[in-house]
Amino acid sequence: MRRFGFALLLLLASCTPTAPAPPSTASRQSTAEADATLASLRRVDDLPLYEMTYTGDYDVSAPGPSPTATAPFGCSLFAALGDPDHPLFGRNFDWDPNPALVLRTDPPDGYASISLVDLRYLGLTAADDPAGDRRLLDAPLLPFDGLNERGLAVGMAADEGASATHDPAKPTVGSVRILRLVLDAAATVDEALAMFDRYNIDFVGGPPLHYLLADASGTSALVEFADGRRQVERGTGRWQALTNVPLIGVGEHERRQDTRYRVLADTLGRTGGTVTEIDAMSLLRAVAQPITRWSATYDLGTGQLRVVTARRWQTVHAFRLAVS
């Protein structure tokens, strides 16, 4: 009977359809953690903007989606660091009408952070219902801007002229993936710059980028790639600004030929980099474009994130990250 029972079990097992394996993701979560992550998704507005808390770990080196573009992003960023209690980082993300996600992460071996993700690069459109969609488990790989618990903020903008030379002695990381590495591992601008120096940045398949960094101590820096080399310009005052034109090695008069940069520089220069959250959002409004998808301000001292979607300035969504 035992032999018969064992044979029957084998037969039943062979006749039972095998459930398809879930798609490969960057998730290093238990089933319970993945379920909790997907269950935390909530719709904030009809951009649509969503919020989600990622529970558990993820593999930053895992294959995953990367932004691609046939035209450059249009973005405006600034660090306004004149108020030591409320240093601010602001950004407009100007692009196609895609859904967005406010993502919270707290990896076991890294810093907690809050960031914004364009969900189109996970394959989701505004018409999709993302509830339970396992593609969301790749969201940590695609922060377009963000702030971590140590008060370090980072964001990117397209720079059509950027180019990076491959160093075979260094690992290679995608041009957006580097933001995740920075948010997870860097507490200061200096540590973030060291992270940029540790990797080749791969612009293949996506727009070449440059970056703005700022931290709660009032330090900031630009990172650009020109003639294949990484270049850094540290902030010397209480503010820095970035749009879609190269800045390092470019005189201030030439920089101001870009209208959005001029508006940012005029305002921040006049105030010495001291602006309130309301002023910061007003400044983003002044440089917004018809394709602005989100406008975000990060308070590096308190961890507050304020988001306006699609230039609907009357509605400000507030989120908070505990900073230390």
Side-chain angles (χ1 to χ4, degrees), residues 49-110:
L49 175 69
Y50 299 91
E51 180 184 15
M52 187 179 80
T53 297
Y54 192 100
T55 302
D57 202 5
Y58 44 84
D59 181 2
V60 180
S61 66
S66 296
T68 58
T70 56
F73 297 85
C75 298
S76 303
L77 302 90
F78 64 84
L81 308 173
D83 183 345
D85 295 322
H86 297 283
L88 295 175
F89 187 95
R91 85 99 94 246
N92 282 341
F93 180 66
D94 305 329
W95 194 231
D96 293 333
N98 300 328
L101 173 70
V102 174
L103 177 67
R104 299 176 183 273
T105 60
D106 190 4
D109 57 351

Side-chain angles (χ1 to χ4, degrees), residues 102-318:
V102 174
L103 177 67
R104 299 176 183 273
T105 60
D106 190 4
D109 57 351
Y111 297 125
S113 68
I114 191 168
S115 60
L116 276 153
V117 177
D118 184 331
L119 289 180
R120 184 66 185 88
Y121 297 101
L122 293 174
L124 294 160
T125 70
D128 293 329
D129 179 1
D133 196 313
R134 287 185 61 85
R135 288 175 291 182
L136 291 170
L137 302 181
D138 273 337
L141 303 182
L142 288 171
F144 285 65
D145 49 78
L147 170 70
N148 71 18
E149 63 179 296
R150 297 302 301 275
L152 176 79
V154 60
M156 56 74 168
D159 175 8
E160 286 188 281
S163 63
T165 300
H166 180 78
D167 182 345
K170 296 179 180 180
T172 298
V173 67
S175 58
V176 173
R177 192 79 61 92
I178 187 65
L179 274 69
R180 171 51 58 199
L181 292 168
V182 165
L183 289 171
D184 286 358
T188 65
V189 166
D190 284 345
E191 291 180 5
L193 293 174
M195 188 69 68
F196 271 94
D197 193 45
R198 197 174 302 159
Y199 291 90
N200 296 306
I201 306 299
D202 181 11
F203 294 133
V204 175
L209 304 175
H210 53 181
Y211 307 85
L212 179 62
L213 305 162
D215 65 32
S217 75
T219 301
S220 65
L222 304 175
V223 178
E224 293 187 341
F225 295 83
D227 301 322
R229 296 184 301 107
R230 180 181 68 89
Q231 300 183 2
V232 174
E233 179 178 288
R234 292 177 178 272
T236 56
R238 304 305 296 169
W239 65 271
Q240 276 189 296
L242 184 67
T243 57
N244 300 108
V245 296
L247 296 178
I248 297 178
V250 177
E252 190 66 19
H253 176 76
E254 186 177 350
R255 293 180 180 193
R256 288 172 181 262
Q257 300 307 303
D258 180 78
T259 301
R260 284 179 288 131
Y261 178 87
R262 183 173 65 251
V263 171
L264 295 173
D266 284 348
T267 300
L268 295 170
R270 184 174 63 252
T271 65
T274 300
V275 294
T276 66
E277 287 184 324
I278 293 174
D279 293 336
M281 193 62 77
S282 295
L283 183 52
L284 292 175
R285 182 174 185 174
V287 294
Q289 303 177 78
I291 58 171
T292 296
R293 302 312 299 155
W294 70 71
S295 302
T297 64
Y298 296 89
D299 188 319
L300 313 188
T302 67
Q304 175 156 285
L305 164 63
R306 302 169 80 241
V307 181
V308 166
T309 59
R311 299 183 301 148
R312 294 174 291 195
W313 308 104
Q314 71 281 5
T315 302
V316 180
H317 305 293

